[in-house]
Every structure is written in structure tokens, then in C-alpha cells.
């Protein structure tokens, strides 16, 4: 059976779709950051306790949603079989969610810093470590010493701890 080029067209369409999704995701992040800046909120600056608590609660809620999606997302497949387009899409989706979890964890860390010393130093440090682990996972760092499941579970623990300590 002769290849009519449909496989190449499918692959090209798949890559274009993923590139568009990544572009839209980045544009949404930039748009949100610009709105914050225009409203006079510098993400690197200390926030008032009330604003930091509200932002922390929102970030924790969204982070938990993303972490649950990541935890439920892995699908087993035959390691011997060649990768399919569906495998590529699942991998890309996982990388996008890991990047979002990183950004949310960074926001949690920043807001915890704004609340320090009203929150424990150990909690602030845990947020920093979790962010590093998520970054290593997304970068597929060969030196990463944490597994996917362990990193996600640790991030969930961070959210629970932050909710408990800030409540």
C-alpha cells in the first residue's frame, strides 16, 4: 500500500495544533501578568497580608486541580510499540500541565514569602523545593532524583500544608 502523504499531513497538523496551544497558553500568561502590572501589582514585591492570603488561596485551589489532572493523566501503553500521535499529545499535555503547576507553585512561594514570618520557614522552603522538582520533571532532567508520582504527591502535600497553616 503506497503512502499518500496523509501521515505526514497528520503529523504536521498535530505539530501545528500543539504549537498553537503553547502560543495561546503563553499569551494568556503574558496577558494576566500585564493586567496585574497595570493594576499596580508587582509580582516580585511584598504583598499586603490580605492580598497575599487571597492570592495564596486561589493559587492553591488551581494548583490542586492541575495536580489532580496530572495524577490521573498517565495512561499505560505498550513500551515495545512505536509511539503514536495520541502518545505525543498526552506527553505534550503533561508538559503543559507541569509548566502550569510550576508557575502556580512559584506564585504560592511568592505569597508565602509575603506572609513570612506568619507562616513557617519550613513551609516557604518546601514551596521552593517543590517548584525545583516540578521544573526538573518538565525539563526531563536526567539528574532528577524524584519520580513523577513522588513529585506530584509532594506538591499535593504542599497545598494541604499551605491551606492548613494559612487558614
Amino acid at each position: 500500500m503506497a503512502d499518500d502523504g496523509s501521515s505526514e499531513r497528520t503529523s504536521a497538523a498535530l505539530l501545528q495544533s500543539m504549537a498553537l496551544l503553547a502560543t495561546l497558553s503563553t499569551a494568556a500568561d503574558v496577558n494576566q501578568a500585564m493586567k496585574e502590572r497595570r493594576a499596580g501589582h508587582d509580582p516580585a514585591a511584598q504583598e499586603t497580608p490580605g492580598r497575599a492570603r487571597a492570592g495564596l488561596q486561589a493559587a492553591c485551589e488551581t494548583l490542586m486541580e492541575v495536580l489532580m489532572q496530572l495524577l490521573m493523566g498517565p495512561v499505560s501503553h505498550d513500551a515495545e510499540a512505536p509511539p503514536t500521535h495520541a502518545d505525543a499529545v498526552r506527553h505534550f499535555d503533561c508538559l503543559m500541565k507541569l509548566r502550569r503547576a510550576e508557575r502556580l507553585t512559584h506564585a504560592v512561594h511568592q505569597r508565602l514569602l509575603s506572609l513570612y514570618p506568619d507562616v513557617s520557614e519550613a513551609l516557604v522552603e518546601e514551596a521552593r523545593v517543590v517548584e525545583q522538582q516540578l521544573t526538573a520533571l518538565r525539563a526531563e532532567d536526567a539528574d532528577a532524583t524524584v519520580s513523577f508520582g513522588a513529585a506530584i504527591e509532594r506538591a499535593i502535600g504542599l497545598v494541604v500544608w499551605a491551606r492548613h497553616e494559612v487558614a
Side-chain angles (χ1 to χ4, degrees):
M1 182 170 161
D3 182 19
D4 60 1
S6 66
S7 178
E8 284 110 19
R9 284 193 299 275
T10 301
S11 294
L14 181 66
L15 289 173
Q16 285 179 325
S17 297
M18 289 191 292
L20 179 59
L21 182 59
T23 301
L24 291 173
S25 176
T26 301
D29 292 340
V30 169
N31 183 41
Q32 183 62 34
M34 289 174 60
K35 283 181 183 177
E36 290 287 318
R37 293 266 185 186
R38 286 185 184 133
H41 305 130
D42 181 359
Q46 287 286 104
E47 294 179 311
T48 63
R51 181 163 169 73
R53 285 181 198 287
L56 181 64
Q57 289 170 346
C60 282
E61 183 177 322
T62 305
L63 178 57
M64 185 63 88
E65 290 172 10
V66 172
L67 293 170
M68 288 295 113
Q69 291 170 8
L70 283 165
L71 197 59
M72 303 307 286
V75 177
S76 64
H77 69 286
D78 183 7
E80 300 292 321
T84 65
H85 291 307
D87 293 332
V89 170
R90 278 191 291 275
H91 184 72
F92 181 75
D93 183 54
C94 181
L95 291 174
M96 296 282 293
K97 287 176 182 168
L98 277 171
R99 179 65 184 122
R100 187 162 186 222
E102 273 180 79
R103 287 191 307 268
L104 289 163
T105 304
H106 181 76
V108 166
H109 183 246
Q110 289 297 111
R111 292 193 167 105
L112 288 170
L113 285 171
S114 290
L115 292 171
Y116 183 79
D118 294 335
V119 296
S120 69
E121 184 177 337
L123 176 58
V124 175
E125 177 62 13
E126 181 68 3
R128 187 189 66 75
V129 170
V130 167
E131 182 181 0
Q132 284 182 333
Q133 288 182 346
L134 293 173
T135 299
L137 279 177
R138 185 182 52 82
E140 297 180 356
D141 187 349
D143 296 332
T145 58
V146 66
S147 70
F148 178 84
I152 300 305
E153 286 178 23
R154 189 166 185 176
I156 290 170
L158 169 68
V159 172
V160 172
W161 185 2
R163 284 177 175 169
H164 175 74
E165 199 165 310
V166 176

PDB file of all heavy atoms in Angstrom, residues 96-128:
ATOM      1  N   MET A  96       2.624  20.701  29.438  1.00  0.00           N
ATOM      2  CA  MET A  96       1.918  21.979  29.625  1.00  0.00           C
ATOM      3  C   MET A  96       1.381  22.080  31.054  1.00  0.00           C
ATOM      4  O   MET A  96       1.463  23.136  31.687  1.00  0.00           O
ATOM      5  CB  MET A  96       0.779  22.116  28.612  1.00  0.00           C
ATOM      6  CG  MET A  96       1.213  22.184  27.159  1.00  0.00           C
ATOM      7  SD  MET A  96       1.833  23.783  26.677  1.00  0.00           S
ATOM      8  CE  MET A  96       0.367  24.757  26.782  1.00  0.00           C
ATOM      9  N   LYS A  97       0.841  20.985  31.559  1.00  0.00           N
ATOM     10  CA  LYS A  97       0.303  20.989  32.925  1.00  0.00           C
ATOM     11  C   LYS A  97       1.422  21.108  33.951  1.00  0.00           C
ATOM     12  O   LYS A  97       1.262  21.804  34.962  1.00  0.00           O
ATOM     13  CB  LYS A  97      -0.533  19.741  33.170  1.00  0.00           C
ATOM     14  CG  LYS A  97      -1.867  19.793  32.458  1.00  0.00           C
ATOM     15  CD  LYS A  97      -2.653  18.519  32.623  1.00  0.00           C
ATOM     16  CE  LYS A  97      -3.961  18.614  31.845  1.00  0.00           C
ATOM     17  NZ  LYS A  97      -4.624  17.323  31.750  1.00  0.00           N
ATOM     18  N   LEU A  98       2.552  20.459  33.703  1.00  0.00           N
ATOM     19  CA  LEU A  98       3.693  20.601  34.607  1.00  0.00           C
ATOM     20  C   LEU A  98       4.173  22.055  34.637  1.00  0.00           C
ATOM     21  O   LEU A  98       4.494  22.586  35.705  1.00  0.00           O
ATOM     22  CB  LEU A  98       4.843  19.684  34.192  1.00  0.00           C
ATOM     23  CG  LEU A  98       4.764  18.247  34.665  1.00  0.00           C
ATOM     24  CD1 LEU A  98       5.853  17.407  33.993  1.00  0.00           C
ATOM     25  CD2 LEU A  98       4.884  18.161  36.182  1.00  0.00           C
ATOM     26  N   ARG A  99       4.204  22.705  33.485  1.00  0.00           N
ATOM     27  CA  ARG A  99       4.628  24.109  33.428  1.00  0.00           C
ATOM     28  C   ARG A  99       3.648  24.980  34.205  1.00  0.00           C
ATOM     29  O   ARG A  99       4.043  25.879  34.932  1.00  0.00           O
ATOM     30  CB  ARG A  99       4.745  24.571  31.967  1.00  0.00           C
ATOM     31  CG  ARG A  99       5.148  26.020  31.835  1.00  0.00           C
ATOM     32  CD  ARG A  99       6.564  26.258  32.382  1.00  0.00           C
ATOM     33  NE  ARG A  99       6.886  27.649  32.343  1.00  0.00           N
ATOM     34  CZ  ARG A  99       7.238  28.377  33.404  1.00  0.00           C
ATOM     35  NH1 ARG A  99       7.350  27.824  34.580  1.00  0.00           N
ATOM     36  NH2 ARG A  99       7.500  29.640  33.287  1.00  0.00           N
ATOM     37  N   ARG A 100       2.374  24.700  34.064  1.00  0.00           N
ATOM     38  CA  ARG A 100       1.367  25.469  34.813  1.00  0.00           C
ATOM     39  C   ARG A 100       1.524  25.228  36.314  1.00  0.00           C
ATOM     40  O   ARG A 100       1.431  26.156  37.113  1.00  0.00           O
ATOM     41  CB  ARG A 100      -0.033  25.094  34.344  1.00  0.00           C
ATOM     42  CG  ARG A 100      -1.092  25.970  34.948  1.00  0.00           C
ATOM     43  CD  ARG A 100      -2.381  25.917  34.192  1.00  0.00           C
ATOM     44  NE  ARG A 100      -3.297  26.892  34.747  1.00  0.00           N
ATOM     45  CZ  ARG A 100      -4.571  26.661  34.943  1.00  0.00           C
ATOM     46  NH1 ARG A 100      -5.103  25.515  34.596  1.00  0.00           N
ATOM     47  NH2 ARG A 100      -5.343  27.600  35.469  1.00  0.00           N
ATOM     48  N   ALA A 101       1.769  23.993  36.701  1.00  0.00           N
ATOM     49  CA  ALA A 101       1.981  23.679  38.119  1.00  0.00           C
ATOM     50  C   ALA A 101       3.216  24.406  38.644  1.00  0.00           C
ATOM     51  O   ALA A 101       3.210  24.893  39.781  1.00  0.00           O
ATOM     52  CB  ALA A 101       2.119  22.167  38.311  1.00  0.00           C
ATOM     53  N   GLU A 102       4.259  24.497  37.840  1.00  0.00           N
ATOM     54  CA  GLU A 102       5.462  25.251  38.229  1.00  0.00           C
ATOM     55  C   GLU A 102       5.129  26.708  38.507  1.00  0.00           C
ATOM     56  O   GLU A 102       5.549  27.268  39.527  1.00  0.00           O
ATOM     57  CB  GLU A 102       6.480  25.255  37.082  1.00  0.00           C
ATOM     58  CG  GLU A 102       7.428  24.126  37.008  1.00  0.00           C
ATOM     59  CD  GLU A 102       8.332  24.339  35.815  1.00  0.00           C
ATOM     60  OE1 GLU A 102       9.282  25.144  35.923  1.00  0.00           O
ATOM     61  OE2 GLU A 102       8.085  23.707  34.771  1.00  0.00           O
ATOM     62  N   ARG A 103       4.410  27.330  37.568  1.00  0.00           N
ATOM     63  CA  ARG A 103       4.058  28.748  37.727  1.00  0.00           C
ATOM     64  C   ARG A 103       3.192  28.958  38.971  1.00  0.00           C
ATOM     65  O   ARG A 103       3.385  29.925  39.707  1.00  0.00           O
ATOM     66  CB  ARG A 103       3.339  29.266  36.480  1.00  0.00           C
ATOM     67  CG  ARG A 103       4.248  29.452  35.288  1.00  0.00           C
ATOM     68  CD  ARG A 103       3.565  30.204  34.152  1.00  0.00           C
ATOM     69  NE  ARG A 103       2.293  29.638  33.753  1.00  0.00           N
ATOM     70  CZ  ARG A 103       2.136  28.729  32.791  1.00  0.00           C
ATOM     71  NH1 ARG A 103       3.178  28.272  32.134  1.00  0.00           N
ATOM     72  NH2 ARG A 103       0.940  28.296  32.485  1.00  0.00           N
ATOM     73  N   LEU A 104       2.253  28.058  39.196  1.00  0.00           N
ATOM     74  CA  LEU A 104       1.386  28.175  40.366  1.00  0.00           C
ATOM     75  C   LEU A 104       2.174  27.976  41.657  1.00  0.00           C
ATOM     76  O   LEU A 104       1.950  28.671  42.650  1.00  0.00           O
ATOM     77  CB  LEU A 104       0.228  27.193  40.269  1.00  0.00           C
ATOM     78  CG  LEU A 104      -0.823  27.538  39.210  1.00  0.00           C
ATOM     79  CD1 LEU A 104      -1.696  26.326  38.902  1.00  0.00           C
ATOM     80  CD2 LEU A 104      -1.667  28.724  39.664  1.00  0.00           C
ATOM     81  N   THR A 105       3.098  27.033  41.645  1.00  0.00           N
ATOM     82  CA  THR A 105       3.929  26.798  42.825  1.00  0.00           C
ATOM     83  C   THR A 105       4.805  28.014  43.094  1.00  0.00           C
ATOM     84  O   THR A 105       5.022  28.398  44.246  1.00  0.00           O
ATOM     85  CB  THR A 105       4.787  25.525  42.648  1.00  0.00           C
ATOM     86  OG1 THR A 105       3.915  24.433  42.371  1.00  0.00           O
ATOM     87  CG2 THR A 105       5.585  25.222  43.899  1.00  0.00           C
ATOM     88  N   HIS A 106       5.296  28.641  42.042  1.00  0.00           N
ATOM     89  CA  HIS A 106       6.075  29.871  42.200  1.00  0.00           C
ATOM     90  C   HIS A 106       5.210  30.957  42.852  1.00  0.00           C
ATOM     91  O   HIS A 106       5.671  31.668  43.761  1.00  0.00           O
ATOM     92  CB  HIS A 106       6.615  30.349  40.855  1.00  0.00           C
ATOM     93  CG  HIS A 106       7.442  31.584  40.949  1.00  0.00           C
ATOM     94  ND1 HIS A 106       8.733  31.577  41.424  1.00  0.00           N
ATOM     95  CD2 HIS A 106       7.157  32.880  40.664  1.00  0.00           C
ATOM     96  CE1 HIS A 106       9.215  32.803  41.412  1.00  0.00           C
ATOM     97  NE2 HIS A 106       8.276  33.614  40.955  1.00  0.00           N
ATOM     98  N   ALA A 107       3.960  31.067  42.411  1.00  0.00           N
ATOM     99  CA  ALA A 107       3.043  32.052  42.995  1.00  0.00           C
ATOM    100  C   ALA A 107       2.789  31.744  44.468  1.00  0.00           C
ATOM    101  O   ALA A 107       2.750  32.655  45.309  1.00  0.00           O
ATOM    102  CB  ALA A 107       1.730  32.074  42.222  1.00  0.00           C
ATOM    103  N   VAL A 108       2.635  30.463  44.797  1.00  0.00           N
ATOM    104  CA  VAL A 108       2.451  30.055  46.192  1.00  0.00           C
ATOM    105  C   VAL A 108       3.676  30.473  47.005  1.00  0.00           C
ATOM    106  O   VAL A 108       3.556  31.057  48.089  1.00  0.00           O
ATOM    107  CB  VAL A 108       2.197  28.533  46.301  1.00  0.00           C
ATOM    108  CG1 VAL A 108       2.345  28.040  47.731  1.00  0.00           C
ATOM    109  CG2 VAL A 108       0.817  28.179  45.753  1.00  0.00           C
ATOM    110  N   HIS A 109       4.858  30.204  46.471  1.00  0.00           N
ATOM    111  CA  HIS A 109       6.100  30.556  47.164  1.00  0.00           C
ATOM    112  C   HIS A 109       6.190  32.063  47.399  1.00  0.00           C
ATOM    113  O   HIS A 109       6.513  32.515  48.507  1.00  0.00           O
ATOM    114  CB  HIS A 109       7.301  30.054  46.354  1.00  0.00           C
ATOM    115  CG  HIS A 109       8.611  30.291  47.014  1.00  0.00           C
ATOM    116  ND1 HIS A 109       9.541  31.159  46.484  1.00  0.00           N
ATOM    117  CD2 HIS A 109       9.149  29.808  48.157  1.00  0.00           C
ATOM    118  CE1 HIS A 109      10.600  31.182  47.277  1.00  0.00           C
ATOM    119  NE2 HIS A 109      10.397  30.382  48.296  1.00  0.00           N
ATOM    120  N   GLN A 110       5.897  32.851  46.360  1.00  0.00           N
ATOM    121  CA  GLN A 110       5.964  34.312  46.485  1.00  0.00           C
ATOM    122  C   GLN A 110       5.005  34.818  47.557  1.00  0.00           C
ATOM    123  O   GLN A 110       5.357  35.684  48.362  1.00  0.00           O
ATOM    124  CB  GLN A 110       5.646  34.975  45.146  1.00  0.00           C
ATOM    125  CG  GLN A 110       6.715  34.816  44.089  1.00  0.00           C
ATOM    126  CD  GLN A 110       8.013  35.470  44.503  1.00  0.00           C
ATOM    127  OE1 GLN A 110       8.993  34.793  44.763  1.00  0.00           O
ATOM    128  NE2 GLN A 110       8.036  36.777  44.567  1.00  0.00           N
ATOM    129  N   ARG A 111       3.818  34.257  47.584  1.00  0.00           N
ATOM    130  CA  ARG A 111       2.828  34.725  48.562  1.00  0.00           C
ATOM    131  C   ARG A 111       3.174  34.262  49.972  1.00  0.00           C
ATOM    132  O   ARG A 111       2.912  34.974  50.934  1.00  0.00           O
ATOM    133  CB  ARG A 111       1.453  34.293  48.116  1.00  0.00           C
ATOM    134  CG  ARG A 111       1.098  35.078  46.850  1.00  0.00           C
ATOM    135  CD  ARG A 111      -0.287  35.038  46.425  1.00  0.00           C
ATOM    136  NE  ARG A 111      -0.518  36.054  45.428  1.00  0.00           N
ATOM    137  CZ  ARG A 111      -0.664  35.800  44.129  1.00  0.00           C
ATOM    138  NH1 ARG A 111      -0.577  34.566  43.675  1.00  0.00           N
ATOM    139  NH2 ARG A 111      -0.924  36.782  43.293  1.00  0.00           N
ATOM    140  N   LEU A 112       3.758  33.090  50.072  1.00  0.00           N
ATOM    141  CA  LEU A 112       4.227  32.648  51.389  1.00  0.00           C
ATOM    142  C   LEU A 112       5.338  33.562  51.905  1.00  0.00           C
ATOM    143  O   LEU A 112       5.392  33.875  53.097  1.00  0.00           O
ATOM    144  CB  LEU A 112       4.705  31.197  51.339  1.00  0.00           C
ATOM    145  CG  LEU A 112       3.616  30.141  51.186  1.00  0.00           C
ATOM    146  CD1 LEU A 112       4.223  28.780  50.902  1.00  0.00           C
ATOM    147  CD2 LEU A 112       2.719  30.098  52.420  1.00  0.00           C
ATOM    148  N   LEU A 113       6.214  33.999  51.010  1.00  0.00           N
ATOM    149  CA  LEU A 113       7.252  34.956  51.402  1.00  0.00           C
ATOM    150  C   LEU A 113       6.634  36.254  51.903  1.00  0.00           C
ATOM    151  O   LEU A 113       7.135  36.864  52.852  1.00  0.00           O
ATOM    152  CB  LEU A 113       8.201  35.235  50.231  1.00  0.00           C
ATOM    153  CG  LEU A 113       9.202  34.136  49.895  1.00  0.00           C
ATOM    154  CD1 LEU A 113       9.909  34.450  48.584  1.00  0.00           C
ATOM    155  CD2 LEU A 113      10.196  33.947  51.023  1.00  0.00           C
ATOM    156  N   SER A 114       5.538  36.685  51.270  1.00  0.00           N
ATOM    157  CA  SER A 114       4.856  37.897  51.715  1.00  0.00           C
ATOM    158  C   SER A 114       4.234  37.720  53.092  1.00  0.00           C
ATOM    159  O   SER A 114       4.087  38.692  53.833  1.00  0.00           O
ATOM    160  CB  SER A 114       3.771  38.302  50.715  1.00  0.00           C
ATOM    161  OG  SER A 114       4.342  38.764  49.517  1.00  0.00           O
ATOM    162  N   LEU A 115       3.872  36.499  53.433  1.00  0.00           N
ATOM    163  CA  LEU A 115       3.246  36.230  54.727  1.00  0.00           C
ATOM    164  C   LEU A 115       4.256  35.898  55.833  1.00  0.00           C
ATOM    165  O   LEU A 115       3.893  35.846  57.003  1.00  0.00           O
ATOM    166  CB  LEU A 115       2.238  35.086  54.597  1.00  0.00           C
ATOM    167  CG  LEU A 115       1.000  35.406  53.768  1.00  0.00           C
ATOM    168  CD1 LEU A 115       0.189  34.135  53.521  1.00  0.00           C
ATOM    169  CD2 LEU A 115       0.164  36.481  54.437  1.00  0.00           C
ATOM    170  N   TYR A 116       5.496  35.637  55.441  1.00  0.00           N
ATOM    171  CA  TYR A 116       6.526  35.295  56.421  1.00  0.00           C
ATOM    172  C   TYR A 116       6.787  36.498  57.323  1.00  0.00           C
ATOM    173  O   TYR A 116       6.808  37.620  56.832  1.00  0.00           O
ATOM    174  CB  TYR A 116       7.822  34.883  55.699  1.00  0.00           C
ATOM    175  CG  TYR A 116       8.913  34.443  56.619  1.00  0.00           C
ATOM    176  CD1 TYR A 116       8.899  33.174  57.164  1.00  0.00           C
ATOM    177  CD2 TYR A 116       9.935  35.307  56.973  1.00  0.00           C
ATOM    178  CE1 TYR A 116       9.906  32.771  58.029  1.00  0.00           C
ATOM    179  CE2 TYR A 116      10.943  34.913  57.828  1.00  0.00           C
ATOM    180  CZ  TYR A 116      10.923  33.642  58.352  1.00  0.00           C
ATOM    181  OH  TYR A 116      11.900  33.246  59.213  1.00  0.00           O
ATOM    182  N   PRO A 117       6.878  36.383  58.592  1.00  0.00           N
ATOM    183  CA  PRO A 117       7.075  35.221  59.460  1.00  0.00           C
ATOM    184  C   PRO A 117       5.784  34.644  60.045  1.00  0.00           C
ATOM    185  O   PRO A 117       5.848  33.846  60.974  1.00  0.00           O
ATOM    186  CB  PRO A 117       7.982  35.773  60.562  1.00  0.00           C
ATOM    187  CG  PRO A 117       7.535  37.190  60.723  1.00  0.00           C
ATOM    188  CD  PRO A 117       7.142  37.633  59.326  1.00  0.00           C
ATOM    189  N   ASP A 118       4.627  35.048  59.493  1.00  0.00           N
ATOM    190  CA  ASP A 118       3.364  34.477  59.977  1.00  0.00           C
ATOM    191  C   ASP A 118       3.169  33.035  59.527  1.00  0.00           C
ATOM    192  O   ASP A 118       2.253  32.367  60.003  1.00  0.00           O
ATOM    193  CB  ASP A 118       2.176  35.331  59.530  1.00  0.00           C
ATOM    194  CG  ASP A 118       2.190  36.714  60.170  1.00  0.00           C
ATOM    195  OD1 ASP A 118       2.791  36.851  61.256  1.00  0.00           O
ATOM    196  OD2 ASP A 118       1.617  37.650  59.581  1.00  0.00           O
ATOM    197  N   VAL A 119       3.986  32.577  58.586  1.00  0.00           N
ATOM    198  CA  VAL A 119       3.987  31.170  58.176  1.00  0.00           C
ATOM    199  C   VAL A 119       5.380  30.623  58.473  1.00  0.00           C
ATOM    200  O   VAL A 119       6.345  31.376  58.575  1.00  0.00           O
ATOM    201  CB  VAL A 119       3.636  30.987  56.680  1.00  0.00           C
ATOM    202  CG1 VAL A 119       2.219  31.435  56.382  1.00  0.00           C
ATOM    203  CG2 VAL A 119       4.618  31.718  55.781  1.00  0.00           C
ATOM    204  N   SER A 120       5.459  29.328  58.593  1.00  0.00           N
ATOM    205  CA  SER A 120       6.742  28.724  58.965  1.00  0.00           C
ATOM    206  C   SER A 120       7.764  28.806  57.838  1.00  0.00           C
ATOM    207  O   SER A 120       7.421  28.768  56.658  1.00  0.00           O
ATOM    208  CB  SER A 120       6.544  27.267  59.376  1.00  0.00           C
ATOM    209  OG  SER A 120       6.185  26.494  58.253  1.00  0.00           O
ATOM    210  N   GLU A 121       9.008  28.907  58.252  1.00  0.00           N
ATOM    211  CA  GLU A 121      10.108  28.918  57.289  1.00  0.00           C
ATOM    212  C   GLU A 121      10.155  27.594  56.528  1.00  0.00           C
ATOM    213  O   GLU A 121      10.477  27.554  55.337  1.00  0.00           O
ATOM    214  CB  GLU A 121      11.419  29.147  58.037  1.00  0.00           C
ATOM    215  CG  GLU A 121      12.615  29.284  57.141  1.00  0.00           C
ATOM    216  CD  GLU A 121      13.890  29.595  57.919  1.00  0.00           C
ATOM    217  OE1 GLU A 121      13.826  30.119  59.040  1.00  0.00           O
ATOM    218  OE2 GLU A 121      14.961  29.285  57.371  1.00  0.00           O
ATOM    219  N   ALA A 122       9.793  26.509  57.206  1.00  0.00           N
ATOM    220  CA  ALA A 122       9.804  25.188  56.572  1.00  0.00           C
ATOM    221  C   ALA A 122       8.801  25.127  55.419  1.00  0.00           C
ATOM    222  O   ALA A 122       9.077  24.513  54.380  1.00  0.00           O
ATOM    223  CB  ALA A 122       9.496  24.104  57.599  1.00  0.00           C
ATOM    224  N   LEU A 123       7.652  25.770  55.576  1.00  0.00           N
ATOM    225  CA  LEU A 123       6.648  25.789  54.509  1.00  0.00           C
ATOM    226  C   LEU A 123       7.157  26.590  53.313  1.00  0.00           C
ATOM    227  O   LEU A 123       6.999  26.159  52.161  1.00  0.00           O
ATOM    228  CB  LEU A 123       5.321  26.360  55.026  1.00  0.00           C
ATOM    229  CG  LEU A 123       4.208  26.526  53.997  1.00  0.00           C
ATOM    230  CD1 LEU A 123       3.862  25.192  53.322  1.00  0.00           C
ATOM    231  CD2 LEU A 123       2.972  27.126  54.664  1.00  0.00           C
ATOM    232  N   VAL A 124       7.766  27.714  53.561  1.00  0.00           N
ATOM    233  CA  VAL A 124       8.323  28.536  52.479  1.00  0.00           C
ATOM    234  C   VAL A 124       9.388  27.742  51.730  1.00  0.00           C
ATOM    235  O   VAL A 124       9.416  27.725  50.494  1.00  0.00           O
ATOM    236  CB  VAL A 124       8.903  29.858  53.036  1.00  0.00           C
ATOM    237  CG1 VAL A 124       9.579  30.657  51.932  1.00  0.00           C
ATOM    238  CG2 VAL A 124       7.810  30.688  53.709  1.00  0.00           C
ATOM    239  N   GLU A 125      10.245  27.049  52.459  1.00  0.00           N
ATOM    240  CA  GLU A 125      11.301  26.247  51.841  1.00  0.00           C
ATOM    241  C   GLU A 125      10.707  25.079  51.049  1.00  0.00           C
ATOM    242  O   GLU A 125      11.184  24.737  49.966  1.00  0.00           O
ATOM    243  CB  GLU A 125      12.271  25.736  52.909  1.00  0.00           C
ATOM    244  CG  GLU A 125      13.370  24.841  52.382  1.00  0.00           C
ATOM    245  CD  GLU A 125      14.312  25.503  51.390  1.00  0.00           C
ATOM    246  OE1 GLU A 125      14.311  26.743  51.234  1.00  0.00           O
ATOM    247  OE2 GLU A 125      15.073  24.768  50.739  1.00  0.00           O
ATOM    248  N   GLU A 126       9.656  24.469  51.575  1.00  0.00           N
ATOM    249  CA  GLU A 126       9.011  23.356  50.871  1.00  0.00           C
ATOM    250  C   GLU A 126       8.468  23.815  49.521  1.00  0.00           C
ATOM    251  O   GLU A 126       8.587  23.095  48.522  1.00  0.00           O
ATOM    252  CB  GLU A 126       7.885  22.762  51.731  1.00  0.00           C
ATOM    253  CG  GLU A 126       7.169  21.597  51.091  1.00  0.00           C
ATOM    254  CD  GLU A 126       8.022  20.342  50.952  1.00  0.00           C
ATOM    255  OE1 GLU A 126       9.187  20.312  51.400  1.00  0.00           O
ATOM    256  OE2 GLU A 126       7.506  19.362  50.376  1.00  0.00           O
ATOM    257  N   ALA A 127       7.898  25.006  49.476  1.00  0.00           N
ATOM    258  CA  ALA A 127       7.392  25.533  48.205  1.00  0.00           C
ATOM    259  C   ALA A 127       8.534  25.693  47.201  1.00  0.00           C
ATOM    260  O   ALA A 127       8.386  25.371  46.016  1.00  0.00           O
ATOM    261  CB  ALA A 127       6.681  26.866  48.430  1.00  0.00           C
ATOM    262  N   ARG A 128       9.670  26.146  47.655  1.00  0.00           N
ATOM    263  CA  ARG A 128      10.837  26.312  46.772  1.00  0.00           C
ATOM    264  C   ARG A 128      11.315  24.971  46.238  1.00  0.00           C
ATOM    265  O   ARG A 128      11.589  24.812  45.047  1.00  0.00           O
ATOM    266  CB  ARG A 128      11.969  27.020  47.527  1.00  0.00           C
ATOM    267  CG  ARG A 128      13.166  27.392  46.643  1.00  0.00           C
ATOM    268  CD  ARG A 128      14.347  27.876  47.471  1.00  0.00           C
ATOM    269  NE  ARG A 128      14.898  26.823  48.313  1.00  0.00           N
ATOM    270  CZ  ARG A 128      15.651  25.810  47.855  1.00  0.00           C
ATOM    271  NH1 ARG A 128      15.933  25.719  46.590  1.00  0.00           N
ATOM    272  NH2 ARG A 128      16.123  24.894  48.689  1.00  0.00           N
TER     273      ARG A 128
END
